[in-house]
mmCIF file of all heavy atoms in Angstrom:
data_model
loop_
_atom_site.group_PDB
_atom_site.id
_atom_site.type_symbol
_atom_site.label_atom_id
_atom_site.label_comp_id
_atom_site.label_asym_id
_atom_site.label_seq_id
_atom_site.Cartn_x
_atom_site.Cartn_y
_atom_site.Cartn_z
ATOM 1 N N LEU A 1 -1.413 -12.299 -0.496
ATOM 2 C CA LEU A 1 -1.928 -12.405 0.874
ATOM 3 C C LEU A 1 -3.435 -12.615 0.878
ATOM 4 O O LEU A 1 -3.966 -13.458 1.612
ATOM 5 C CB LEU A 1 -1.565 -11.130 1.648
ATOM 6 C CG LEU A 1 -0.102 -10.998 2.065
ATOM 7 C CD1 LEU A 1 0.222 -9.563 2.441
ATOM 8 C CD2 LEU A 1 0.223 -11.936 3.226
ATOM 9 N N ALA A 2 -4.144 -11.852 0.053
ATOM 10 C CA ALA A 2 -5.598 -11.962 -0.011
ATOM 11 C C ALA A 2 -6.016 -13.338 -0.489
ATOM 12 O O ALA A 2 -7.020 -13.907 -0.007
ATOM 13 C CB ALA A 2 -6.170 -10.879 -0.930
ATOM 14 N N ALA A 3 -5.260 -13.903 -1.442
ATOM 15 C CA ALA A 3 -5.593 -15.229 -1.973
ATOM 16 C C ALA A 3 -5.488 -16.311 -0.899
ATOM 17 O O ALA A 3 -6.161 -17.351 -1.000
ATOM 18 C CB ALA A 3 -4.663 -15.569 -3.139
ATOM 19 N N ARG A 4 -4.690 -16.055 0.104
ATOM 20 C CA ARG A 4 -4.528 -17.022 1.212
ATOM 21 C C ARG A 4 -5.495 -16.743 2.363
ATOM 22 O O ARG A 4 -5.452 -17.399 3.396
ATOM 23 C CB ARG A 4 -3.092 -16.997 1.721
ATOM 24 C CG ARG A 4 -2.094 -17.534 0.719
ATOM 25 C CD ARG A 4 -0.688 -17.521 1.279
ATOM 26 N NE ARG A 4 -0.567 -18.226 2.550
ATOM 27 C CZ ARG A 4 0.562 -18.383 3.228
ATOM 28 N NH1 ARG A 4 1.681 -17.865 2.726
ATOM 29 N NH2 ARG A 4 0.592 -19.040 4.365
ATOM 30 N N GLY A 5 -6.329 -15.740 2.192
ATOM 31 C CA GLY A 5 -7.310 -15.418 3.226
ATOM 32 C C GLY A 5 -6.726 -14.634 4.384
ATOM 33 O O GLY A 5 -7.336 -14.540 5.445
ATOM 34 N N ILE A 6 -5.553 -14.035 4.184
ATOM 35 C CA ILE A 6 -4.916 -13.224 5.224
ATOM 36 C C ILE A 6 -5.377 -11.774 5.106
ATOM 37 O O ILE A 6 -5.460 -11.236 4.003
ATOM 38 C CB ILE A 6 -3.368 -13.313 5.095
ATOM 39 C CG1 ILE A 6 -2.911 -14.746 5.333
ATOM 40 C CG2 ILE A 6 -2.679 -12.354 6.074
ATOM 41 C CD1 ILE A 6 -1.437 -14.969 5.059
ATOM 42 N N HIS A 7 -5.680 -11.168 6.225
ATOM 43 C CA HIS A 7 -6.183 -9.809 6.224
ATOM 44 C C HIS A 7 -5.088 -8.869 5.733
ATOM 45 O O HIS A 7 -3.998 -8.796 6.328
ATOM 46 C CB HIS A 7 -6.649 -9.396 7.616
ATOM 47 C CG HIS A 7 -7.333 -8.076 7.654
ATOM 48 N ND1 HIS A 7 -7.283 -7.227 8.743
ATOM 49 C CD2 HIS A 7 -8.100 -7.451 6.728
ATOM 50 C CE1 HIS A 7 -7.970 -6.141 8.488
ATOM 51 N NE2 HIS A 7 -8.492 -6.244 7.279
ATOM 52 N N VAL A 8 -5.350 -8.128 4.682
ATOM 53 C CA VAL A 8 -4.341 -7.257 4.107
ATOM 54 C C VAL A 8 -4.963 -5.929 3.676
ATOM 55 O O VAL A 8 -6.091 -5.889 3.168
ATOM 56 C CB VAL A 8 -3.640 -7.936 2.893
ATOM 57 C CG1 VAL A 8 -4.652 -8.352 1.831
ATOM 58 C CG2 VAL A 8 -2.572 -7.028 2.282
ATOM 59 N N LEU A 9 -4.221 -4.843 3.892
ATOM 60 C CA LEU A 9 -4.627 -3.506 3.467
ATOM 61 C C LEU A 9 -3.606 -3.015 2.441
ATOM 62 O O LEU A 9 -2.380 -3.063 2.703
ATOM 63 C CB LEU A 9 -4.667 -2.544 4.659
ATOM 64 C CG LEU A 9 -5.623 -2.929 5.803
ATOM 65 C CD1 LEU A 9 -5.386 -2.018 6.993
ATOM 66 C CD2 LEU A 9 -7.058 -2.871 5.344
ATOM 67 N N LEU A 10 -4.082 -2.566 1.287
ATOM 68 C CA LEU A 10 -3.195 -2.053 0.244
ATOM 69 C C LEU A 10 -3.152 -0.532 0.315
ATOM 70 O O LEU A 10 -4.194 0.126 0.271
ATOM 71 C CB LEU A 10 -3.681 -2.513 -1.136
ATOM 72 C CG LEU A 10 -2.878 -2.023 -2.342
ATOM 73 C CD1 LEU A 10 -1.448 -2.548 -2.299
ATOM 74 C CD2 LEU A 10 -3.558 -2.454 -3.643
ATOM 75 N N VAL A 11 -1.954 0.011 0.434
ATOM 76 C CA VAL A 11 -1.796 1.466 0.489
ATOM 77 C C VAL A 11 -2.192 2.083 -0.842
ATOM 78 O O VAL A 11 -1.897 1.547 -1.917
ATOM 79 C CB VAL A 11 -0.315 1.802 0.810
ATOM 80 C CG1 VAL A 11 -0.091 3.316 0.761
ATOM 81 C CG2 VAL A 11 0.059 1.262 2.185
ATOM 82 N N GLY A 12 -2.873 3.218 -0.788
ATOM 83 C CA GLY A 12 -3.298 3.917 -1.997
ATOM 84 C C GLY A 12 -2.288 4.953 -2.436
ATOM 85 O O GLY A 12 -1.523 5.481 -1.620
ATOM 86 N N GLY A 13 -2.275 5.266 -3.730
ATOM 87 C CA GLY A 13 -1.340 6.262 -4.238
ATOM 88 C C GLY A 13 -1.025 6.028 -5.697
ATOM 89 O O GLY A 13 -1.825 5.454 -6.440
ATOM 90 N N THR A 14 0.162 6.411 -6.121
ATOM 91 C CA THR A 14 0.587 6.277 -7.505
ATOM 92 C C THR A 14 1.336 4.962 -7.702
ATOM 93 O O THR A 14 2.262 4.665 -6.955
ATOM 94 C CB THR A 14 1.525 7.445 -7.893
ATOM 95 O OG1 THR A 14 0.826 8.680 -7.696
ATOM 96 C CG2 THR A 14 1.968 7.339 -9.341
ATOM 97 N N LEU A 15 0.937 4.192 -8.701
ATOM 98 C CA LEU A 15 1.576 2.904 -8.956
ATOM 99 C C LEU A 15 2.807 3.122 -9.821
ATOM 100 O O LEU A 15 2.720 3.657 -10.943
ATOM 101 C CB LEU A 15 0.617 1.942 -9.636
ATOM 102 C CG LEU A 15 1.160 0.543 -9.930
ATOM 103 C CD1 LEU A 15 1.541 -0.166 -8.637
ATOM 104 C CD2 LEU A 15 0.130 -0.277 -10.710
ATOM 105 N N LYS A 16 3.952 2.673 -9.347
ATOM 106 C CA LYS A 16 5.205 2.764 -10.080
ATOM 107 C C LYS A 16 5.406 1.460 -10.853
ATOM 108 O O LYS A 16 5.503 0.387 -10.269
ATOM 109 C CB LYS A 16 6.364 2.980 -9.110
ATOM 110 C CG LYS A 16 7.712 3.164 -9.764
ATOM 111 C CD LYS A 16 8.782 3.385 -8.691
ATOM 112 C CE LYS A 16 10.154 3.432 -9.307
ATOM 113 N NZ LYS A 16 11.199 3.592 -8.263
ATOM 114 N N GLY A 17 5.470 1.567 -12.183
ATOM 115 C CA GLY A 17 5.488 0.381 -13.023
ATOM 116 C C GLY A 17 6.680 -0.524 -12.834
ATOM 117 O O GLY A 17 6.537 -1.749 -12.757
ATOM 118 N N SER A 18 7.894 0.022 -12.711
ATOM 119 C CA SER A 18 9.101 -0.797 -12.674
ATOM 120 C C SER A 18 9.201 -1.673 -11.444
ATOM 121 O O SER A 18 9.652 -2.813 -11.513
ATOM 122 C CB SER A 18 10.347 0.074 -12.780
ATOM 123 O OG SER A 18 10.429 0.968 -11.694
ATOM 124 N N THR A 19 8.765 -1.145 -10.296
ATOM 125 C CA THR A 19 8.850 -1.915 -9.052
ATOM 126 C C THR A 19 7.497 -2.422 -8.566
ATOM 127 O O THR A 19 7.432 -3.113 -7.553
ATOM 128 C CB THR A 19 9.477 -1.065 -7.926
ATOM 129 O OG1 THR A 19 8.669 0.107 -7.712
ATOM 130 C CG2 THR A 19 10.883 -0.631 -8.287
ATOM 131 N N GLU A 20 6.418 -2.065 -9.275
ATOM 132 C CA GLU A 20 5.059 -2.487 -8.906
ATOM 133 C C GLU A 20 4.721 -2.038 -7.490
ATOM 134 O O GLU A 20 4.016 -2.737 -6.746
ATOM 135 C CB GLU A 20 4.908 -3.998 -9.057
ATOM 136 C CG GLU A 20 5.188 -4.483 -10.489
ATOM 137 C CD GLU A 20 5.156 -5.986 -10.616
ATOM 138 O OE1 GLU A 20 4.696 -6.669 -9.671
ATOM 139 O OE2 GLU A 20 5.597 -6.502 -11.657
ATOM 140 N N ALA A 21 5.237 -0.865 -7.115
ATOM 141 C CA ALA A 21 4.998 -0.327 -5.788
ATOM 142 C C ALA A 21 4.119 0.898 -5.854
ATOM 143 O O ALA A 21 4.204 1.688 -6.791
ATOM 144 C CB ALA A 21 6.328 0.051 -5.141
ATOM 145 N N VAL A 22 3.260 1.055 -4.841
ATOM 146 C CA VAL A 22 2.454 2.259 -4.704
ATOM 147 C C VAL A 22 3.282 3.285 -3.930
ATOM 148 O O VAL A 22 3.781 2.998 -2.833
ATOM 149 C CB VAL A 22 1.139 1.974 -3.965
ATOM 150 C CG1 VAL A 22 0.334 3.259 -3.782
ATOM 151 C CG2 VAL A 22 0.315 0.939 -4.738
ATOM 152 N N VAL A 23 3.468 4.469 -4.509
ATOM 153 C CA VAL A 23 4.382 5.448 -3.925
ATOM 154 C C VAL A 23 3.707 6.828 -3.887
ATOM 155 O O VAL A 23 2.598 7.018 -4.355
ATOM 156 C CB VAL A 23 5.697 5.538 -4.747
ATOM 157 C CG1 VAL A 23 6.395 4.188 -4.760
ATOM 158 C CG2 VAL A 23 5.420 6.015 -6.172
ATOM 159 N N GLY A 24 4.447 7.801 -3.312
ATOM 160 C CA GLY A 24 3.994 9.171 -3.362
ATOM 161 C C GLY A 24 3.410 9.698 -2.073
ATOM 162 O O GLY A 24 3.309 8.994 -1.060
ATOM 163 N N THR A 25 2.968 10.961 -2.126
ATOM 164 C CA THR A 25 2.476 11.662 -0.940
ATOM 165 C C THR A 25 1.208 11.039 -0.380
ATOM 166 O O THR A 25 1.048 10.940 0.848
ATOM 167 C CB THR A 25 2.210 13.139 -1.291
ATOM 168 O OG1 THR A 25 3.402 13.704 -1.845
ATOM 169 C CG2 THR A 25 1.809 13.918 -0.052
ATOM 170 N N THR A 26 0.298 10.631 -1.242
ATOM 171 C CA THR A 26 -0.964 10.026 -0.774
ATOM 172 C C THR A 26 -0.677 8.775 0.054
ATOM 173 O O THR A 26 -1.273 8.569 1.118
ATOM 174 C CB THR A 26 -1.862 9.669 -1.963
ATOM 175 O OG1 THR A 26 -2.148 10.850 -2.708
ATOM 176 C CG2 THR A 26 -3.168 9.047 -1.494
ATOM 177 N N ALA A 27 0.226 7.928 -0.436
ATOM 178 C CA ALA A 27 0.584 6.718 0.290
ATOM 179 C C ALA A 27 1.204 7.051 1.639
ATOM 180 O O ALA A 27 0.897 6.430 2.673
ATOM 181 C CB ALA A 27 1.543 5.875 -0.549
ATOM 182 N N ALA A 28 2.104 8.039 1.647
ATOM 183 C CA ALA A 28 2.777 8.438 2.892
ATOM 184 C C ALA A 28 1.779 8.973 3.913
ATOM 185 O O ALA A 28 1.865 8.654 5.106
ATOM 186 C CB ALA A 28 3.861 9.471 2.596
ATOM 187 N N LEU A 29 0.837 9.784 3.471
ATOM 188 C CA LEU A 29 -0.167 10.334 4.385
ATOM 189 C C LEU A 29 -1.023 9.230 5.001
ATOM 190 O O LEU A 29 -1.349 9.273 6.198
ATOM 191 C CB LEU A 29 -1.060 11.332 3.636
ATOM 192 C CG LEU A 29 -0.409 12.679 3.273
ATOM 193 C CD1 LEU A 29 -1.324 13.481 2.366
ATOM 194 C CD2 LEU A 29 -0.055 13.444 4.528
ATOM 195 N N MET A 30 -1.355 8.226 4.206
ATOM 196 C CA MET A 30 -2.145 7.098 4.712
ATOM 197 C C MET A 30 -1.365 6.334 5.792
ATOM 198 O O MET A 30 -1.935 5.935 6.813
ATOM 199 C CB MET A 30 -2.492 6.164 3.554
ATOM 200 C CG MET A 30 -3.317 4.957 3.936
ATOM 201 S SD MET A 30 -3.768 3.978 2.461
ATOM 202 C CE MET A 30 -4.668 2.622 3.227
ATOM 203 N N LEU A 31 -0.070 6.177 5.586
ATOM 204 C CA LEU A 31 0.744 5.403 6.535
ATOM 205 C C LEU A 31 0.919 6.120 7.864
ATOM 206 O O LEU A 31 1.187 5.474 8.890
ATOM 207 C CB LEU A 31 2.121 5.119 5.901
ATOM 208 C CG LEU A 31 2.100 4.098 4.767
ATOM 209 C CD1 LEU A 31 3.441 4.085 4.041
ATOM 210 C CD2 LEU A 31 1.770 2.712 5.285
ATOM 211 N N HIS A 32 0.778 7.420 7.880
ATOM 212 C CA HIS A 32 0.897 8.190 9.139
ATOM 213 C C HIS A 32 -0.139 7.762 10.154
ATOM 214 O O HIS A 32 0.042 7.969 11.372
ATOM 215 C CB HIS A 32 0.757 9.689 8.865
ATOM 216 C CG HIS A 32 2.059 10.366 8.518
ATOM 217 N ND1 HIS A 32 3.120 10.398 9.403
ATOM 218 C CD2 HIS A 32 2.461 11.028 7.414
ATOM 219 C CE1 HIS A 32 4.128 11.051 8.842
ATOM 220 N NE2 HIS A 32 3.764 11.435 7.640
ATOM 221 N N ASP A 33 -1.241 7.167 9.723
ATOM 222 C CA ASP A 33 -2.310 6.795 10.641
ATOM 223 C C ASP A 33 -2.110 5.403 11.249
ATOM 224 O O ASP A 33 -2.886 4.982 12.100
ATOM 225 C CB ASP A 33 -3.661 6.812 9.893
ATOM 226 C CG ASP A 33 -4.081 8.217 9.496
ATOM 227 O OD1 ASP A 33 -3.669 9.167 10.193
ATOM 228 O OD2 ASP A 33 -4.792 8.361 8.496
ATOM 229 N N TYR A 34 -1.096 4.683 10.787
ATOM 230 C CA TYR A 34 -0.892 3.302 11.248
ATOM 231 C C TYR A 34 0.251 3.226 12.264
ATOM 232 O O TYR A 34 1.184 4.034 12.230
ATOM 233 C CB TYR A 34 -0.571 2.377 10.075
ATOM 234 C CG TYR A 34 -1.722 2.207 9.102
ATOM 235 C CD1 TYR A 34 -1.532 2.353 7.727
ATOM 236 C CD2 TYR A 34 -2.996 1.881 9.554
ATOM 237 C CE1 TYR A 34 -2.571 2.190 6.840
ATOM 238 C CE2 TYR A 34 -4.047 1.710 8.675
ATOM 239 C CZ TYR A 34 -3.839 1.863 7.316
ATOM 240 O OH TYR A 34 -4.877 1.708 6.439
#
């Protein structure tokens, strides 16, 4: 998305290698504000 110039926010937290996803409590807490 960033490479195309589209505004994107990446959630912070623990990176899970197998799915390349950011997961965990930190990510969930951040999403509560959106």
Side-chain angles (χ1 to χ4, degrees):
L1 286 163
R4 292 181 55 178
I6 296 173
H7 187 212
V8 57
L9 301 171
L10 178 63
V11 175
T14 301
L15 182 62
K16 183 179 175 183
S18 61
T19 60
E20 301 175 13
V22 178
V23 300
T25 305
T26 301
L29 288 172
M30 181 177 178
L31 289 169
H32 272 299
D33 292 333
Y34 294 131

